Amino acid sequence: PPEETDKAYEMMSERLVGAQPIQRAGQPEDIAQAALYLASDLSTFVNGHPLVVDGGLIGGKNWSDSRITQQGLTSDDDIKT
């Protein structure tokens, strides 16, 4: 039922948001934008590399936090890559 699906989505969104650097749930549009990029001329030099659309979940919040600590920063906005 749709109500249970919505409830499960909300629960998973809350859990994942805290674990990833980008503090919002992924949306279908995020995947669509990645697919459009790969299908466009902008990606003509991209080859053999997985494009991970996960809000930084693989790198993880711990990675972002450690970068902030290493650089003596107080905000994700201040991170220099």
Side-chain angles (χ1 to χ4, degrees):
E3 310 84 44
E4 290 180 23
T5 301
D6 291 342
K7 187 176 180 180
Y9 175 79
E10 288 176 26
M11 182 185 71
M12 289 305 298
S13 294
E14 290 172 11
R15 287 185 179 198
L16 290 175
V17 163
Q20 63 194 34
I22 297 176
Q23 297 291 299
R24 68 171 180 80
Q27 301 295 315
E29 292 81 15
D30 296 318
I31 302 298
Q33 290 297 325
L36 286 172
Y37 165 71
L38 290 172
S40 76
D41 288 340
L42 295 173
S43 69
T44 58
F45 206 67
V46 176
N47 185 345
H49 179 75
L51 178 60
V52 180
V53 183
D54 70 352
L57 188 62
I58 288 177
K61 186 164 175 40
N62 292 334
W63 182 86
S64 293
D65 290 345
S66 70
R67 293 285 293 162
I68 290 169
T69 302
Q70 286 173 353
Q71 295 181 10
L73 304 172
T74 58
S75 168
D76 286 338
D77 296 334
D78 297 329
I79 293 177
K80 298 177 182 96
T81 55

